Amino acid sequence: MLDVELNIRDVDGKAVVALCGQLDLAGTPGAGSHLIVAVAACGPSVIVDLTGLTGLSNSGLLMLLRVRTWALRNGGDLPLAAPQRPVRRVLGASGLIDVFSVYPSVEEAATGRRSAPSWSPAAPRSSVTCRPRHKARDTWVRYRPCYVCSCYRPRRI
């Protein structure tokens, strides 16, 4: 079950909506309506605080994308602040961590400045460096995108 806390607290002139619990199919419509109400009432830029969010499903990702699109059409943005590790994994695996403006804290999202955290999209996700290897002669090898650096590297099928 999802609890949506509509915090209309003023952090540098921007409203903050805190999401807690699991953002799954059951809680997505309620969370989406709360976010749209916050964007409509408080201006086009609303910060989504993901500190208390423990899980994120595909329907939750789609809802966040729709609200972000709506905010962008109205001249704003929908930055995400302080996602926990499971939520960061979902955002990273879906590729949406590069689409959204993701900040390590609500305060940094309000100012728009980022410190360089270890999980930022610009930083490497692992200490392992990949070198693309091309073995076209091997029939048992297929090329799939690497999750570390997005190069194509051979993997067994």
Side-chain angles (χ1 to χ4, degrees):
M1 190 66 168
L2 175 75
D3 298 324
V4 178
E5 299 174 15
L6 187 60
N7 287 337
I8 308 294
R9 61 182 172 135
D10 189 4
V11 179
D12 289 341
K14 295 184 182 178
V16 177
V17 177
L19 299 178
C20 300
Q22 295 272 339
L23 187 55
D24 54 5
L25 185 61
T28 299
S33 64
H34 281 290
L35 284 173
I36 287 178
V37 165
V39 169
C42 301
S45 292
V46 173
I47 299 168
V48 181
D49 184 8
L50 302 177
T51 304
L53 194 66
T54 58
L56 185 62
S57 70
N58 292 337
S59 60
L61 282 173
L62 183 61
M63 181 270 307
L64 287 174
L65 276 174
R66 286 182 179 170
V67 174
R68 181 180 181 269
T69 303
W70 193 79
L72 287 174
R73 286 183 186 160
N74 291 315
D77 194 12
L78 192 74
L80 306 178
Q84 300 303 312
R85 179 170 282 178
V87 176
R88 282 196 317 261
R89 282 187 189 150
V90 171
L91 288 170
S94 66
L96 293 177
I97 200 160
D98 298 328
V99 173
F100 284 99
S101 300
V102 182
Y103 295 92
S105 70
V106 175
E107 290 76 20
E108 290 181 23
T111 60
R113 290 180 295 164
R114 293 183 202 193
S115 62
S118 61
W119 55 267
S120 73
R125 293 183 185 144
S126 174
S127 61
V128 178
T129 58
C130 292
R131 294 187 187 118
R133 297 177 222 140
H134 302 286
K135 296 180 181 179
R137 295 181 193 153
D138 295 333
T139 58
W140 58 272
V141 173
R142 282 202 181 162
Y143 294 96
R144 296 188 179 185
C146 175
Y147 294 109
V148 177
C149 67
S150 299
C151 70
Y152 282 91
R153 59 189 281 195
R155 297 191 180 184
R156 289 182 188 248
I157 50 174

